[in-house]
Amino acid sequence: MHDHTATTPQTGRTRQTRRLRGLRQAVAIATAVAVAAGLALGAAVGAPVRASAATTESEAADYASDVYGDAWDFSNAADFNTDFSGTRATVSGGALKVDLALGNQLFLVHSISGSLATGRDGARQPVDPAKYSRLTFSMDQPLTKHIGAVYWFTCREQTSACGGGFSFPVVQGPHVYDFDLTAKSNLLAKVPWRSAKKVVFRLDPVVLPKGTGNTGKQVSIDWVRLHAAPDATHPHAGMPAGAYSGYTVTPRPQVVVDSPNPSQGQDYATATTGRPWNFTSAPATSSVRYSNATVLSRDSRGITARNAGPLQNDPQVHLPVSRLAGSTYHYLQYDLRYDGPFDLSGSAGGGKLARAIWNVSGTGTPQIGNDLLTYSNANASETTVDMTAQNPLDEDAIAPKAGWAGQTITGLRFDPNEDPGKAVWHLKSVHLRADPTATGSTTVTFHDNAWVSGATADVAVRIGSGSWQRIAAGVAVVKGTNSVPFSLGAKPAGKYGVRVTVHHPDGSAAAADASAPVVMKKGAAAAPDTSHDPRGTLDAVTAGSTGVTLSGWAYDPDTRDPLAVALYDTTSGAKSLGRVSTSIARPDVVRAHPGAPAASGYSRTVALAKGTHKVCAYGINVGTGTANTLLGCRSVTVR
């Protein structure tokens, strides 16, 4: 593999410094405009439409709930990336707490130009202003006679020309703030809210005068909603689910599709050498080479290394690659952490970004990837980049710019930390993965972060941009992981996208797509290791006067707890008949299978319409098994 020249990382660093400087200038201009505006925008504050007493309504559509499947309720660290706060911020105790000092800015939706959009980047998941036109949040702040400000940007550069927003008076103590974002925009270039999709959305809790130091006080924000406008169905659209004086708001689904996902795809290193590039193992990474880095140790965090000369801001991890298809292995995954804070400056302690550089067949010119933002320990997690979903090349890359998609990759390098100082970083793993695949059938799994009893789900699939085809309807949703079988059957082989729509009993619904498609192939599935999968049978299906009774036994080798058994009518598609847990003593099962718990039997009566039905039972996997187990199918006629 060819190294890029010594000037290449410097060119990238100069551009990155320029980005940061431009961002700081935009922030400074915005703050000055907001202070000049003073309290003039108090009229922008609105109040929710009030309903009559003792009413119940469903929660209105909310950006974070719909797009992330995770509301901004600050119940977990993922709700806010504290590296995108102008002052010290923490997520704890169900609140986002921010130091009151100059520059207390919260990038709820963030994006940095010149970087590949990953994770919750606004360039990947922009805010649709036609759907989400109102901002409501609950904030407790200690100061008087101050203002706050809201900013939005239609460009990743966050220049004044693509920005808009407004200021508002802040109230001492706890208060719910509610704004119609379409009412006014008089900051920066005054870009209207409805002008275009927004890639950056920022809230400045309290705008402090220039020269203000740390006040020693904090702002506490309980929740934020960027939501649909109130209407007759959602008069209290700004409020999260809960019971209030005179009305109750019921929760809207927050759907996450867990499978298929990129981590289930074949790993290149494992496929070619039998071992992944897991840096906790010396043998697994024995062919990896390092440049401009000193490896200090190896432990559960992987390798701990320090940037070193001769190019200290250009540490390199050379991965052993020999002619792989870029369109096949296109998910780059890395688990990287570093010591110290997030900083994109060009000085020592800055350069908190990584980069991929690769060679392709047909040219000796290295393909230089764009910046990969990496975050401080509190915000770090394994990152996945689809190298074919966007142009992965640095704007200043050397011609010819061949890219990744459609290329034969002949060399790969991962640069963990472009810090000109002696940065210390920890690299646990690097993967190159293909799309997940299945032969004949697979299992779709999902969960609802706002689950309520009585929720149901529909599951649909499609090839490419074709029409969605429903494969399951009315599936009873349980708290935690839910599983739905997807059998190819008469459908053509191909790359299928997956969508899950969850319906709550109050009539609200939300949908989410899988983070990766699944490549479905015709034929019998290869025999996986099923030693940890559920075991059991569907012994009998009996039609009676009150319905059809399904009975049998099941257990999972990984648990002694009762096992969930999912029941389906597969006569046409896969219609859920609900679930039952094992609870019936089956000494015969224990004699034949000593590992089975005593109460491994199950029985449930379900209602079915007249006619002949094919009903099936699945044991729901727990632990390290590979899949849910089909316990059996039987035909039954309801007369």
Side-chain angles (χ1 to χ4, degrees), residues 358-427:
W358 60 97
N359 291 88
V360 300
S361 180
T363 176
T365 302
Q367 302 297 296
I368 303 171
N370 224 332
D371 303 344
L372 294 168
L373 296 182
T374 56
Y375 302 114
S376 62
N377 258 317
N379 300 294
S381 62
E382 184 177 60
T383 299
T384 300
V385 185
D386 185 349
M387 300 292 281
T388 61
Q390 55 190 305
N391 179 4
L393 290 174
D394 190 297
E395 298 90 338
D396 298 328
I398 308 166
K401 298 182 179 182
W404 187 279
Q407 302 299 323
T408 298
I409 311 300
T410 58
L412 177 62
R413 190 178 106 198
F414 182 71
D415 295 2
N417 198 323
E418 297 188 352
D419 187 335
K422 294 183 178 181
V424 174
W425 41 272
H426 315 275
L427 181 61

Side-chain angles (χ1 to χ4, degrees), residues 285-302:
T285 53
S286 59
S287 298
V288 175
R289 297 185 297 107
Y290 309 93
S291 301
N292 303 323
T294 300
V295 177
L296 304 174
S297 63
R298 189 188 304 268
D299 54 26
S300 60
R301 296 174 297 178

Side-chain angles (χ1 to χ4, degrees), residues 128-145:
D128 182 354
K131 184 174 183 179
Y132 309 105
S133 60
R134 198 120 181 167
L135 173 69
T136 309
F137 58 94
S138 175
M139 179 172 74
D140 185 355
Q141 70 84 35
L143 304 182
T144 59
K145 297 181 180 179

Side-chain angles (χ1 to χ4, degrees), residues 613-630:
H613 301 262
K614 182 181 179 181
V615 294
C616 301
Y618 288 81
I620 303 304
N621 177 66
V622 295
T624 58
T626 60
N628 300 329
T629 297
L630 175 62

Side-chain angles (χ1 to χ4, degrees), residues 245-591:
S245 177
Y247 64 96
T248 297
V249 178
T250 55
R252 173 183 174 84
Q254 297 180 32
V255 191
V256 178
V257 182
D258 302 302
S259 173
N261 69 71
S263 294
Q264 296 171 323
Q266 184 182 59
D267 173 63
Y268 168 79
T270 303
T272 55
T273 69
R275 290 176 168 177
W277 293 320
N278 186 331
F279 291 86
T280 62
S281 166
T285 53
S286 59
S287 298
V288 175
R289 297 185 297 107
Y290 309 93
S291 301
N292 303 323
T294 300
V295 177
L296 304 174
S297 63
R298 189 188 304 268
D299 54 26
S300 60
R301 296 174 297 178
I303 59 167
T304 294
R306 176 184 289 119
N307 287 13
L311 296 176
Q312 192 160 276
N313 70 330
D314 198 21
Q316 303 168 7
V317 178
H318 299 263
L319 300 163
V321 164
S322 176
R323 300 188 66 81
L324 66 88
S327 293
T328 299
Y329 293 101
H330 60 102
Y331 295 110
L332 172 64
Q333 293 182 320
Y334 53 92
D335 192 335
L336 173 70
R337 286 161 171 76
Y338 54 78
D339 295 347
F342 176 75
D343 189 342
L344 293 181
S345 70
S347 58
K352 300 306 185 186
L353 52 90
R355 192 182 306 277
I357 298 177
W358 60 97
N359 291 88
V360 300
S361 180
T363 176
T365 302
Q367 302 297 296
I368 303 171
N370 224 332
D371 303 344
L372 294 168
L373 296 182
T374 56
Y375 302 114
S376 62
N377 258 317
N379 300 294
S381 62
E382 184 177 60
T383 299
T384 300
V385 185
D386 185 349
M387 300 292 281
T388 61
Q390 55 190 305
N391 179 4
L393 290 174
D394 190 297
E395 298 90 338
D396 298 328
I398 308 166
K401 298 182 179 182
W404 187 279
Q407 302 299 323
T408 298
I409 311 300
T410 58
L412 177 62
R413 190 178 106 198
F414 182 71
D415 295 2
N417 198 323
E418 297 188 352
D419 187 335
K422 294 183 178 181
V424 174
W425 41 272
H426 315 275
L427 181 61
K428 187 172 185 179
S429 62
V430 178
H431 299 282
L432 270 179
R433 294 191 186 274
D435 288 319
T437 62
T439 302
S441 64
T442 188
T443 301
V444 175
T445 63
F446 64 93
H447 67 275
D448 178 2
N449 278 324
W451 177 83
V452 296
S453 179
T456 62
D458 302 332
V459 181
V461 299
R462 70 175 180 182
I463 295 180
S465 58
S467 59
W468 290 101
Q469 304 174 54
R470 195 159 60 181
I471 61 169
V475 176
V477 178
V478 299
K479 190 173 185 178
T481 301
N482 295 261
S483 302
V484 172
F486 170 26
S487 296
L488 193 56
K491 295 182 179 66
K495 186 183 292 188
Y496 281 85
V498 175
R499 172 171 291 175
V500 175
T501 303
V502 172
H503 304 268
H504 279 186
D506 62 6
S508 63
D513 294 349
S515 54
V518 57
V519 179
M520 299 294 290
K521 301 177 180 179
K522 291 285 189 179
D529 177 10
T530 60
S531 61
H532 291 269
D533 290 354
R535 303 169 189 181
T537 64
L538 174 61
D539 290 335
V541 177
T542 307
S545 59
T546 59
V548 173
T549 301
L550 298 88
S551 58
W553 61 270
Y555 76 96
D556 191 298
D558 294 328
T559 182
R560 303 288 295 176
D561 294 335
L563 187 69
V565 175
L567 308 175
Y568 289 91
D569 178 357
T570 63
T571 309
S572 176
K575 181 181 179 182
S576 173
L577 300 176
R579 292 192 179 195
V580 59
S581 293
T582 55
S583 61
I584 302 171
R586 288 290 300 262
D588 59 321
V589 173
V590 176
R591 285 193 297 271

